[in-house]
Structure formats: C-alpha cells, structure tokens
Amino acid sequence: MSDRSVAALIVGGGAAGAACAEALHEGGFDGDVLLIGREPDPPYERPPASKGYLAGAQDRDACLFHDADWYARRSIELAPRTSVMRLDTGARTATLSTKEVIEFGVALVATGANVRRLRVDGAQLEGIHYLRALGNADAIRADALAAEHVVLAGGSYIACEVAATLTALGRRCTMVMLEDAPLSAHFGPTAGGFFGALLREHGVELVCGDGLERVEGDTRARRVVCASGRELAADMVVMGTGVTPDVLLARSAGLELGDTGGVACGADLETSVRGIWAAGDMCEYDSVLHGGRVRIEHHEVARAQGAAVAAAMLGTRRPYSEMPYFWSDLSDWCTAEWVGTTEAPEHEIVRGSVQDGTFSLLHLAGGRLVSALSVGRAEDLAHARRLIAARTDLSGREHELAHGDLDAV
Ligand SMILES: Cc1cc2nc3c(=O)[nH]c(=O)nc-3n(C[C@H](O)[C@H](O)[C@H](O)COP(=O)(O)OP(=O)(O)OC[C@H]3O[C@@H](n4cnc5c(N)ncnc54)[C@H](O)[C@@H]3O)c2cc1C
C-alpha cells in the first residue's frame, strides 16, 4: 500500500540526481518528479568543498546547482533531509525516512559514494576529518583556522587540493602518501613530478612512499606516526583516502552489483531491474567507449549520466558514450584537466614544457591516444577528445604529436 504515487523518483540529491531532474524538466517530462536527498541543502556541487568554498572565497549558495525555489517553480518536488530506506522493485515503491510510501513509475538511484575510513590507532581522536559534504568543509575550515600543522593522508586530488587551499590560508601542510608522487597514480610519473614540485614550491611538505600508521594525542590529534616511524606534528588530519560506492539501498533492493562494487548497469545505464537506472559515482556500466565495465567518480560524468537517464525516461534509450572529463585546481597555482578512457597508458608524449608549467601529456596504448592531461593548454584537450573518440592509429607519429599542429593530425 502506498501513500501516493509519482511518475519519476530520483534517489540522491547530488550531481547526477540534480542533472536528471533538470533534464526531465527541459525535456518536457509529463508527470510528477520527486527528488529525495538526505542532506539538508538542495543539490550542490562538491568540487568547491576542497577549493573555493573551503578557502572561504565562495559562499554556500554559490555551490548550489539551483535554489529551492527553482525546483518548486518547475514542479520538481524536493525532499531534503530525507532518506529512502527501502526500495521494493516488485511493488515499485520507496519507503522514506518519514515513513511515507511512494509508488513510482520510473526511478534513478544516484546515491553517490562514501569516504573510505582509515582504521588506524587514534582514528577516533578529535581533529581527524574526512571530506565529502559542505558540512565537512565547514568543520575543516573551522579547525584549520586554529591549527598550525595540518597532515593530509593520501596522494590523490582531495588531499592535494585541500593541502593547496589550506597552505594558501597560511597553514603548514604535510602530505603523507603511499605513492612516489602526488597524483601519479592517476596521471603517471611525469605529472606526479610536476605536481610534487609545484606543491613543494608553495611550501607543502611531501612524505612519499610512506603510510599513515597511527595518530597520537590525548583527546585530540597531536602527532601522526608513519609506517617508516617518522613522526609529524599535527593539530589536525585530513584523510583523502578515497571513496567507495554507496550501494546500501541498491543492494538491499536486490539490484545486481558489479566487480567495482557499483550497481551493475547496461550500456544505457539501466540496472538489472527494468525502469530503474543508476548514475554517478555508484554506477558501473558497460561502456561502449571503454569496451568494458567501468565506474567513474567525476563531477561532469555524474552530471552527464544523470541527463542521459532523463533522456531514457523520456523515451530515448541509447548507449552512454560521453568522453570522461575531470579537472582539479590546486589553489590558484594551477588547473589540470584530463580527458580519456583509461589511466594505464603504455607510452607518454609531452607537448609544451613541464618545467614551465604549460604542457599536455598525451597517453597512448596500442598506438592510439587513450587519455590526455593538460595544464595551461586546454586547446590540446579538444583535439585529444577527437583523436580518442575516433581511435585514430597514431603509430609512428610521435614527433607530430609532440611538436606539430594537432589540427592536422
Ligand atoms: C571535496 C570534493 C571535491 C571534488 N572535486 C572534483 C573535481 O574537482 N572534479 C571532478 O570531476 N570531481 C570532483 N569531485 C567528485 C564529484 O563531486 C563526484 O564525482 C560527484 O559528486 C558524484 O555525484 P553523484 O551524484 O554520483 O553523488 P553525490 O554527489 O555524492 O550525491 C549522492 C547523494 O545521494 C545521497 N543519498 C545516498 N543514499 C541516499 C538515500 N538512501 N536516500 C536519499 N539520499 C541518499 C547522498 O547523501 C548524496 O547527497 C569532488 C568530490 C569531493 C567530495
């Protein structure tokens, strides 16, 4: 028995959920749309939480995709501070934390990801932070204003961005990472060397090839001890230790899961249950572009997948084939942009000068371009997108790729 019914249910008020609601409205969806999110704010962008919002340069409203009125004016019902507790795929009902039972026609499950918590001694001490929501950024900023030494665990973009933002605010930041260089796991050693040098140049201390073993202090974090035995002063610690897809609801609903831990979807992002789609960080789909199953944790991908699901709900089903795009800002020191299908290249070509901080790294596998990272050469990315999508055979054209006009390639 349901309390009421809606034509489209969107579970998760994040990047993917909001994009789906927007695209349903733009596409003239004929029916009620209910967007349920457990956070207090209307859907917002997470990227500023490690950048402008954390720095205090961007206010909360500026992070929202739209204010609450925007949704109301478009007859999109927004239910913040509400969780979907149960999804019955047979009866096609959702039970909410308010106890209301909603019957739905079609649904998007876009529940995002949860931070991966480090289980080490001292993990419960005050002053240890994770970053996923604006509320986490508020807590980090408040603590950082009183802290002198900040330790960041991890060498990926969250730790790098937070280190850069807090360093620019005058904190002394030390990053501890298993990798040999920051961002090298995603972008390779050349990029890692560049980002490492940039961070050091601005005063960030890097401890590479080492792990965070434990945190010490009385009630509050005071010291980080690394696996090597090295000790680092720490008034606070920010963990940038990755995320895991949030499939709690999907699993209990019996949706099929995939190898990466996401919800297994077909090429058009539909789950194992007809009329229920997934999108964003928890969506593992059969990618025509990658030639296999992938799950991608990037903002623009979540947005594009949300819009693609809306198109499917509106009647246009097609394989999702957008080229993944990612960007990262290290304070105002540099912006890196990436496009591509894989992060495991066989061969790298440098355009421009890494030393001067204006370069693109073209990554090839099997004679074809598979990804490109660009710092200060955004124009290269458009060509890279084209060459990756066309699967152009670039064997023997290394010189042209490094020094030539990409227009002509
Ligand atoms: C600090 C930070 C900085 C980032 N910077 C970048 C960047 O520079 N570039 C980039 O490309 N990507 C960046 N990302 C990644 C990007 O933000 C994510 O890929 C994107 O938010 C994924 O969108 P999503 O809709 O899948 O999930 P989310 O945005 O996480 O939204 C999912 C929502 O669903 C809610 N939810 C979960 N379960 C339920 C339930 N049962 N009922 C109701 N609601 C539920 C969650 O609370 C959450 O609000 C960043 C991420 C973070 C955290």
Side-chain angles (χ1 to χ4, degrees):
M1 277 284 286
S2 65
D3 297 306
R4 63 189 175 111
S5 64
V6 296
L9 174 75
I10 302 173
V11 187
C20 180
E22 286 164 24
L24 282 175
H25 169 73
E26 279 158 22
F29 185 73
D30 186 17
D32 309 325
V33 178
L34 173 59
L35 171 50
I36 299 175
R38 67 179 165 208
E39 294 191 57
D41 299 288
Y44 63 85
E45 303 191 27
R46 294 186 195 281
S50 50
K51 310 176 183 70
Y53 183 77
L54 181 62
Q58 186 174 344
D59 69 19
R60 210 169 179 100
D61 285 351
C63 299
L64 303 180
F65 292 111
H66 307 287
D67 62 21
D69 279 354
W70 186 95
Y71 296 93
R73 284 198 304 273
R74 283 156 187 81
S75 303
I76 298 166
E77 187 186 348
L78 206 57
R81 296 181 195 276
T82 308
S83 292
V84 174
M85 309 301 286
R86 185 165 178 266
L87 207 57
D88 184 331
T89 57
R92 297 188 91 76
T93 57
T95 306
L96 313 189
S97 48
T98 56
K99 306 273 187 282
E100 208 181 357
V101 179
I102 311 281
E103 192 179 336
F104 59 87
V106 289
L108 166 65
V109 181
T111 46
N114 293 317
V115 293
R116 187 179 288 125
R117 293 191 176 263
L118 215 56
R119 293 183 206 287
V120 293
D121 285 348
Q124 78 296 341
L125 290 170
E126 281 169 38
I128 296 184
H129 296 268
Y130 289 84
L131 178 53
R132 183 73 190 171
L134 291 180
N136 304 136
D138 294 337
I140 292 172
R141 187 173 157 77
D143 244 10
L145 292 178
E148 189 185 347
H149 296 278
V150 184
V151 170
L152 301 108
S156 194
Y157 72 92
I158 295 280
C160 290
E161 290 186 355
V162 174
T165 301
L166 297 186
T167 299
L169 287 179
R171 303 309 100 173
R172 292 175 62 179
C173 293
T174 305
M175 294 178 65
V176 181
M177 68 195 78
L178 297 172
E179 301 92 320
D180 291 336
L183 295 171
S184 58
H186 293 286
F187 304 128
T190 309
F194 168 76
F195 293 116
L198 184 74
L199 286 159
R200 283 196 171 104
E201 197 180 294
H202 285 88
V204 180
E205 192 188 341
L206 302 184
V207 177
C208 300
D210 206 349
L212 184 154
E213 178 89 357
R214 64 179 183 277
V215 185
E216 294 180 344
D218 32 35
T219 55
R220 200 186 158 79
R222 291 291 170 216
R223 198 175 316 104
V224 161
V225 181
C226 300
S228 63
R230 185 177 184 143
E231 295 189 2
L232 305 166
D235 303 309
M236 62 184 286
V237 181
V238 181
M239 303 289 193
T241 40
V243 295
T244 52
D246 184 343
V247 292
L248 206 65
L249 179 70
R251 182 190 285 123
S252 69
L255 300 182
E256 197 181 300
L257 302 185
D259 292 341
T260 71
V263 169
C265 295
D268 64 354
L269 312 183
E270 195 172 36
T271 67
S272 51
V273 175
R274 192 145 181 89
I276 299 183
W277 286 264
D281 285 4
M282 46 76 81
C283 169
E284 181 180 323
Y285 68 106
D286 252 329
S287 169
V288 286
L289 201 65
H290 298 76
R293 277 281 179 85
V294 290
R295 192 176 62 74
I296 300 166
E297 296 165 1
H298 300 338
H299 176 86
E300 294 294 339
V301 174
R303 301 276 301 155
Q305 290 184 344
V309 168
M313 288 175 170
L314 285 157
T316 309
R317 281 172 180 268
R318 60 167 77 100
Y320 177 81
S321 60
E322 296 247 347
M323 177 87 59
Y325 165 84
F326 170 83
W327 87 100
S328 179
D329 297 329
L330 299 187
S331 185
D332 58 1
W333 312 338
C334 104
T335 293
E337 295 180 282
W338 178 93
V339 291
T341 59
T342 171
E343 292 163 359
E346 293 162 5
H347 185 53
E348 178 177 88
I349 292 171
V350 181
R351 281 177 70 79
S353 163
V354 176
Q355 209 173 0
D356 296 347
T358 312
F359 64 93
S360 294
L361 302 178
L362 305 182
H363 290 148
L364 290 95
R368 286 194 284 266
L369 192 61
V370 291
S371 69
L373 174 78
S374 188
V375 175
R377 288 180 67 104
E379 68 279 8
D380 287 347
L381 287 191
H383 295 295
R385 274 179 195 272
R386 171 177 54 82
L387 293 169
I388 297 167
R391 300 174 63 80
T392 310
D393 185 358
L394 298 166
S395 313
R397 300 179 73 177
E398 284 78 4
H399 185 80
E400 225 179 322
L401 287 172
H403 307 288
D405 180 357
L406 288 183
D407 244 338
V409 178

